[in-house]
């Protein structure tokens, strides 16, 4: 959340190389921690973002992976996108997709003008409700 308590957005572009996956994973962990996510929810969100990035990395034809982190407390939405070959979509029956969808509230895939976006959303739950 921004210092004004309003929604905010963080944008990140990294090389489409497995060596850089730790960067979006770290960013989402930090943002979730700052927005009252539990430790377990933070770990789940890190893994989900890692899976989204891993699905896109081998297909990123321009060598760039973009991540947009939208903070609208208590919700955190992450959009991971890359330019991919025409017609390619992730296998939604794969183990990676199954893991990703099990860890967040919603997960969706959308392709616009050759750019595929995987969007995941999670909501912070108050500790006393656990």
């Amino acid at each position: 959340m921004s210092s004004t308590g309003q929604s905010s957005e963080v944008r990140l572009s990294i090389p489409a190389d497995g060596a850089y996956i730790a960067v979006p994973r770290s960013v989402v962990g930090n943002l979730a921690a700052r927005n009252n996510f539990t430790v377990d929810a933070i770990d789940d969100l890190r893994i989900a973002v890692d899976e989204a990035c891993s699905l896109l990395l081998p297909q990123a034809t321009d060598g760039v992976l973009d991540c947009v982190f939208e903070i609208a407390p208590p919700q955190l939405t992450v959009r991971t996108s890359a330019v991919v070959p025409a017609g390619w979509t992730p296998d939604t029956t794969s183990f990676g997709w199954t893991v990703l969808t099990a860890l967040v509230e919603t997960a969706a895939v959308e392709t616009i003008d050759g750019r595929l976006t995987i969007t995941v959303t999670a909501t912070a739950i108050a500790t006393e409700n656990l």
Side-chain angles (χ1 to χ4, degrees):
M1 177 168 41
S2 71
S3 59
T4 63
Q6 298 178 3
S7 296
S8 57
E9 187 176 275
V10 175
R11 293 179 173 272
L12 173 69
S13 289
I14 61 169
D17 182 319
Y20 295 95
I21 284 185
V23 177
R25 187 174 49 225
S26 295
V27 170
V28 77
N30 183 284
L31 294 173
R34 292 174 160 271
N35 285 281
N36 301 318
F37 279 71
T38 64
V39 172
D40 287 341
I42 293 168
D43 286 342
D44 288 350
L45 200 47
R46 281 182 176 149
I47 294 167
V49 168
D50 186 75
E51 287 297 331
C53 291
S54 294
L55 289 169
L56 287 173
L57 281 180
Q59 303 300 325
T61 58
D62 67 352
V64 176
L65 187 67
D66 293 316
C67 298
V68 176
F69 306 86
E70 183 181 320
I71 305 104
Q75 206 165 58
L76 179 55
T77 300
V78 182
R79 290 179 187 82
T80 306
S81 65
V83 175
V84 298
W88 182 85
T89 59
D91 178 2
T92 57
T93 63
S94 71
F95 179 74
W97 186 260
T98 301
V99 168
L100 187 153
T101 58
L103 297 172
V104 294
E105 289 172 42
T106 63
V109 176
E110 177 181 40
T111 303
I112 298 173
D113 297 330
R115 177 168 284 281
L116 188 129
T117 301
I118 298 174
T119 302
V120 298
T121 302
T123 302
I125 300 171
T127 307
E128 53 272 2
N129 292 338
L130 297 177

